């Protein structure tokens, strides 16, 4: 009984068992074929990572159901459990939050008996450009109406001041 335990303990101690290796975190917009340098707020993105385990001296796909990814700036904004897409390849998709700045995609995986995985990738998130906003926002109709009413009132005031004659005022003809 103790011999088997000691053999497994020695394998673990000398990193012959329980060693995990993670590839780079890949990310792309939904429907895109390749990764982009940055994303826009409220955009749907997909991220994936490949994890391998060293078993008897060779690398094999790691199988687990508790691998999580975080989309963080200073604190995690989004934390998702990744689904296995293929043996050893984990993937998830999420919507970028409504905050712009430099975010990190981070996989930090700690499990008893295995080495720790801690890998990050920086992802810039930008706001909408001026031509990407809606032209007329329904919620702003009261402001549009008030601006239009002020314009009409100003034109009427100028017309009254220019063309109104006060009663009893002398004119140049008299």
């Amino acid at each position: 009984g103790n011999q088997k335990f000691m053999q497994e303990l020695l394998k673990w101690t000398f990193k012959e068992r329980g060693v995990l290796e993670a590839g780079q975190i890949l990310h792309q917009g939904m429907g895109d074929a390749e990764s982009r340098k940055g994303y826009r707020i409220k955009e749907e993105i997909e991220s994936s990572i490949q994890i391998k385990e060293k078993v008897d001296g060779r690398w094999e796909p790691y199988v687990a159901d508790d691998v999580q990814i975080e989309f963080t700036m200073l604190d995690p904004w989004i934390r998702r459990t990744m689904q296995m897409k293929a043996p050893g390849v984990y993937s998830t998709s999420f919507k970028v939050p409504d905050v712009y700045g430099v975010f990190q995609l981070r996989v930090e995986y700690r499990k008893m008996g295995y080495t720790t995985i801690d890998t990050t990738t920086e992802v810039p998130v930008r706001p909408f450009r001026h031509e990407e906003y809606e032209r007329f926002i329904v919620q702003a109709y009261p402001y549009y109406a008030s601006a239009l009413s002020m314009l009409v009132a100003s034109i009427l005031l100028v017309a009254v001041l220019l063309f109104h004659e006060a009663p009893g005022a002398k004119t140049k003809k008299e």
Side-chain angles (χ1 to χ4, degrees):
N2 283 344
Q3 182 179 3
K4 176 81 172 151
F5 171 73
M6 289 305 294
Q7 286 174 346
E8 292 298 317
L9 183 64
L10 285 173
K11 283 182 186 178
W12 180 77
T13 303
F14 292 115
K15 302 225 186 260
E16 295 175 9
R17 186 187 114 18
V19 178
L20 297 178
E21 180 183 76
Q24 184 179 3
I25 299 174
L26 302 175
H27 54 88
Q28 70 253 5
M30 291 299 277
D32 291 350
E34 294 183 10
S35 180
R36 288 190 274 163
K37 292 183 179 179
Y39 299 98
R40 191 193 59 198
I41 60 174
K42 298 183 180 180
E43 192 170 12
E44 190 81 21
I45 66 172
E46 182 179 8
S47 60
S48 62
I49 188 168
Q50 181 178 14
I51 301 176
K52 300 177 196 172
E53 177 184 10
K54 191 173 189 181
V55 177
D56 296 328
R58 59 185 202 284
W59 293 101
E60 294 183 3
Y62 179 67
V63 178
D65 60 351
D66 57 349
V67 179
Q68 291 185 339
I69 191 165
E70 294 178 345
F71 196 63
T72 64
M73 190 155 19
L74 293 174
D75 295 321
W77 283 80
I78 297 173
R79 181 179 291 136
R80 292 276 165 89
T81 301
M82 302 180 86
Q83 306 298 323
M84 192 177 340
K85 195 156 92 174
V89 178
Y90 299 90
S91 176
T92 191
S93 62
F94 56 89
K95 192 177 213 178
V96 176
D98 194 7
V99 175
Y100 57 90
V102 179
F103 283 82
Q104 287 185 340
L105 281 169
R106 181 178 196 165
V107 174
E108 185 177 6
Y109 186 71
R110 300 173 192 268
K111 193 168 186 177
M112 289 286 276
Y114 292 97
T115 55
T116 301
I117 293 175
D118 190 7
T119 182
T120 60
T121 300
E122 285 189 355
V123 179
V125 175
R126 66 172 178 81
F128 288 114
R129 289 194 302 259
H130 70 281
E131 75 267 8
E132 292 176 329
Y133 284 104
E134 296 179 31
R135 282 281 183 212
F136 295 101
I137 302 170
V138 176
Q139 293 84 355
Y141 282 165
Y143 299 102
Y144 301 151
S146 68
L148 188 61
S149 68
M150 285 298 296
L151 178 68
V152 169
S154 298
I155 291 173
L156 288 175
L157 178 68
V158 168
V160 167
L161 291 177
L162 285 177
F163 300 113
H164 178 69
E165 283 187 23
K170 293 182 181 177
T171 60
K172 290 184 181 181
K173 293 180 183 178
E174 293 178 8

